[in-house]
Amino acid sequence: MDYILRNVSKRLGGSDFNKLNNNFKFSKIKKLKKEIVNKYPDIPLIDLGIGEPDLPADMKVINTLKDEAYKPENRLYSDNGIYEFKLAACNYLKNIFNVDIDPDTEILHGLGAKSILSLLPYCFINPGDITITTIPGYPVLATHTKYLDGKVYNLKLTKENNFFPDLDSIPKNILKNAKLIYINYPNNPTGQIANKDFYKRLIDFAYKNNLIVISDSVYANIVYDTSPLSFLSIDGAKDIGVEIHSLSKAFNMTGWRLAFIAGNKDIIKLYSIIKSNSDSGQFRAIQKAGISALNNPDIVKNNIKRYSKRFELLINALKEVGFSLEKPKGTYFCYTKIPKGTKSGIVFKNAEEVSDFLLKKALISTVPWDDAGSYLRFSVTFIAKDYKKEKEIINTLKERLKKLELLF
Ligand SMILES: Cc1ncc(COP(=O)(O)O)c(C=O)c1O
C-alpha cells in the first residue's frame, strides 16, 4: 500500500492523503441515497437533487450521431475541433445573444465546460496567483488553481446582495495578486441571472484591476420570462474575458461532453495550446450532432416550458409547507433557506443535516449548501413522464413534508 501512497502529490494531500476527508458532498449524497433505496425498496424516492436534465437528447441529434458515426472520415482525431462546429456555435451566439464571434480566432470547443474550466488555470496561474470565485458554486476553476499552487479568494453570494458578488469588498492585497475572476450566471445553485448593469460594472472593475473574466454560462439559455443575456454582448467584454457555453444542460446532452469557449482571442490561443496537449478533441460525429442541437432552438424552448410548469408546482408545494422562495429567473434549480427544526424538537445546525433528515425520514433527495448561509437546492429535473406524473410526485412531496412538521 505504502509503495503507491508515499508518492502521492502534495495537491492530493501527500502522505496525509488517507487521513484527509475525501468524502465529497455529491458522493456522500449518492451513497446515502443508495442505502435508503435498499432499505425501503417499496417507497419511491423523490429525487430533487439531480443536476442533469431528465430527458435524453433530441431524436434529431441522436440520429445525426448515428449517421455520422458510420462515416469513415469522422474516425480521426479532431484536435482543436472541426470548423463546422465553430460556425454553428458562432451562429447560435449571434441568433440567441446577438454576439459576434470570429470563428477563426475567437472560439474553440471543449470536452464539456468542466474540462475547459480545468484547463484555463494552466494558461495563467503561477504559484501564489489568485483566482477570485463566487460561492456557493461550481468549484472546478478554483480547484485547479489550487492544484497549481495558486490561491482562491471566495466572494459570497447572499440574499442581501441579491446573489451578486460584492466586488468592492475585495481587499487591495488580494486584487494585487489576482489574475482570474469566475462568475456564473444564470447561477447554480441560486437561480439568479445577470443583468447588463452587473456585467458593465464587472468589465470596468476587471479592466481597472487587470483581471481576466471567466464567465461560466452553461445555463445561459435556460431563463424564464426574460431573454437570455451573454456577458460577451456587453461592450469591452472581449477585451478582458471569455464565456463558456455547454450543450449539457439546455440540449439534454450531459454525457456527450461538448461545450465551447468564446471571446478574447489571446485567451482562446492560450487555451488551444493547453488543450492540444491535454486531449485530442471530441469525436467528430458528436460535434456534428452538436451542430444539429445548436440549429434547433426548439429543444431549449420545450425544456423551458416543461421546467417552468414544474417550478410552479414545486414552488407552491414548498411554500405551503413553510419554505419561503420564488420561482428562479434561470437554471433548473431553486434555492431556499433551511428550516430551523421540527415541531418534535429537532434543531438543524446546517443544510447538510436537513438534507440528510429529508432523505432518511421522507425519502426526499436535495442538495445542501452551507457556503454562504444554509440553503437547500431543489431541482426540477426529476424523472416524470408527463404532467400528470409531475403533479402526483409534487403532491406526494408535499404530503411527506407536511408530516415532518418543519419549523421556519
Ligand atoms: C455552473 C456549472 N458549470 C459547469 C458545469 C459543467 O458542465 P459540463 O457538463 O459542460 O461539463 C456545471 C455542471 O453541473 C455547472 O453547474
Side-chain angles (χ1 to χ4, degrees):
M1 191 70 165
D2 273 0
Y3 183 80
I4 301 298
L5 291 186
R6 68 170 174 253
N7 293 304
V8 173
S9 67
K10 205 168 66 175
R11 68 184 62 85
L12 293 182
S15 52
D16 285 337
F17 174 74
N18 266 345
K19 288 185 224 144
L20 293 179
N21 181 10
N22 285 318
N23 194 1
F24 299 112
K25 181 163 79 180
F26 287 95
S27 17
K28 224 179 113 189
I29 296 172
K30 264 191 190 161
K31 193 168 159 248
L32 188 58
K33 240 167 39 179
K34 218 169 151 188
E35 280 169 26
I36 295 291
V37 169
N38 287 339
K39 196 165 166 192
Y40 304 100
D42 299 326
I43 310 175
L45 181 108
I46 302 179
D47 199 344
L48 303 175
I50 305 175
E52 307 188 39
D54 54 312
L55 290 183
D58 191 88
M59 271 325 284
K60 282 188 216 86
V61 177
I62 294 173
N63 281 329
T64 309
L65 172 67
K66 194 181 84 191
D67 295 342
E68 295 295 330
Y70 281 107
K71 297 184 183 165
E73 67 270 26
N74 285 334
R75 76 191 188 284
L76 304 165
Y77 291 129
S78 76
D79 297 327
N80 275 335
I82 59 172
Y83 197 66
E84 301 97 294
F85 180 75
K86 292 197 217 184
L87 279 182
C90 288
N91 282 337
Y92 164 83
L93 289 176
K94 181 69 188 170
N95 295 338
I96 308 291
F97 305 98
N98 198 23
V99 166
D100 289 301
I101 290 292
D102 176 355
D104 289 311
T105 55
E106 294 179 335
I107 191 161
L108 273 186
H109 88 296
L111 312 184
K114 186 181 210 172
S115 163
I116 297 173
L117 288 165
S118 74
L119 297 177
L120 284 172
Y122 291 83
C123 306
F124 300 105
I125 300 297
N126 292 322
D129 290 343
I130 295 176
T131 289
I132 297 169
T133 193
T134 55
I135 55 163
Y138 194 70
V140 172
L141 190 82
T143 303
H144 282 264
T145 297
K146 287 188 240 164
Y147 283 171
L148 295 171
D149 282 337
K151 296 200 174 91
V152 174
Y153 184 79
N154 291 323
L155 283 174
K156 287 186 179 175
L157 301 179
T158 61
K159 195 164 170 50
E160 294 68 46
N161 286 327
N162 208 7
F163 301 115
F164 287 113
D166 180 1
L167 300 173
D168 298 326
S169 70
I170 307 170
K172 283 210 168 64
N173 63 324
I174 297 292
L175 285 171
K176 217 172 93 211
N177 294 309
K179 282 189 170 170
L180 305 178
I181 181 162
Y182 168 88
I183 49 139
N184 163 229
Y185 291 101
N187 183 260
N188 171 11
T190 67
Q192 179 58 293
I193 59 171
N195 52 47
K196 285 187 181 164
D197 183 54
F198 169 70
Y199 281 147
K200 278 183 196 152
R201 278 191 296 119
L202 176 69
I203 291 166
D204 277 354
F205 183 82
Y207 201 72
K208 272 191 205 122
N209 292 291
N210 203 8
L211 293 171
I212 291 165
V213 175
I214 311 292
S215 166
D216 175 347
S217 220
V218 300
Y219 300 93
N221 45 3
I222 310 180
V223 292
Y224 308 99
D225 317 313
T226 182
S227 309
L229 176 70
S230 163
F231 158 76
L232 295 174
S233 68
I234 309 298
D235 279 351
K238 259 202 241 174
D239 297 332
I240 48 103
V242 279
E243 188 161 81
I244 301 166
H245 289 258
S246 171
L247 279 78
S248 288
K249 313 289 178 174
F251 297 98
N252 307 340
M253 292 171 72
T254 40
W256 297 55
R257 314 313 302 134
L258 190 57
F260 57 90
I261 174 170
N264 182 281
K265 69 174 175 7
D266 296 327
I267 302 176
I268 300 295
K269 174 90 197 145
L270 296 166
Y271 165 73
S272 80
I273 298 169
I274 300 294
K275 181 182 171 337
S276 62
N277 281 290
S278 311
D279 65 63
S280 299
Q282 184 50 275
F283 181 31
R284 286 160 193 249
I286 289 185
Q287 291 184 57
K288 292 194 178 158
I291 297 173
S292 90
L294 292 171
N295 288 341
N296 275 289
D298 280 354
I299 301 173
V300 183
K301 278 190 201 139
N302 291 339
N303 276 336
I304 290 173
K305 245 193 253 162
R306 245 164 28 88
Y307 295 150
S308 196
K309 279 204 219 146
R310 286 177 173 209
F311 268 128
E312 270 144 37
L313 297 173
L314 176 66
I315 304 272
N316 284 339
L318 291 176
K319 274 183 168 169
E320 257 188 65
V321 298
F323 284 97
S324 115
L325 78 171
E326 300 302 324
K327 183 178 172 188
K329 301 194 183 88
T331 75
Y332 37 62
F333 304 120
C334 57
Y335 183 73
T336 178
K337 268 205 171 124
I338 61 163
K340 289 197 179 79
T342 66
K343 251 190 188 167
S344 61
I346 295 172
V347 178
F348 297 123
K349 283 204 291 294
N350 54 38
E352 204 174 324
E353 275 191 12
V354 183
S355 180
D356 269 22
F357 177 80
L358 293 181
L359 195 50
K360 286 181 185 152
K361 300 291 175 204
L363 278 81
I364 297 168
S365 175
T366 56
V367 176
W369 295 90
D370 284 302
D371 306 75
S374 290
Y375 284 78
L376 289 177
R377 189 190 81 180
F378 294 85
S379 172
V380 288
T381 56
F382 55 90
I383 312 266
K385 68 174 188 318
D386 53 25
Y387 189 59
K388 190 168 157 250
K389 189 72 192 166
E390 289 169 0
K391 268 168 80 177
E392 197 184 302
I393 290 173
I394 298 297
N395 269 336
T396 314
L397 171 87
K398 195 167 65 187
E399 293 316 312
R400 288 190 196 174
L401 286 173
K402 267 187 189 159
K403 279 197 194 130
L404 297 176
E405 299 188 306
L406 301 168
L407 289 178
F408 290 86

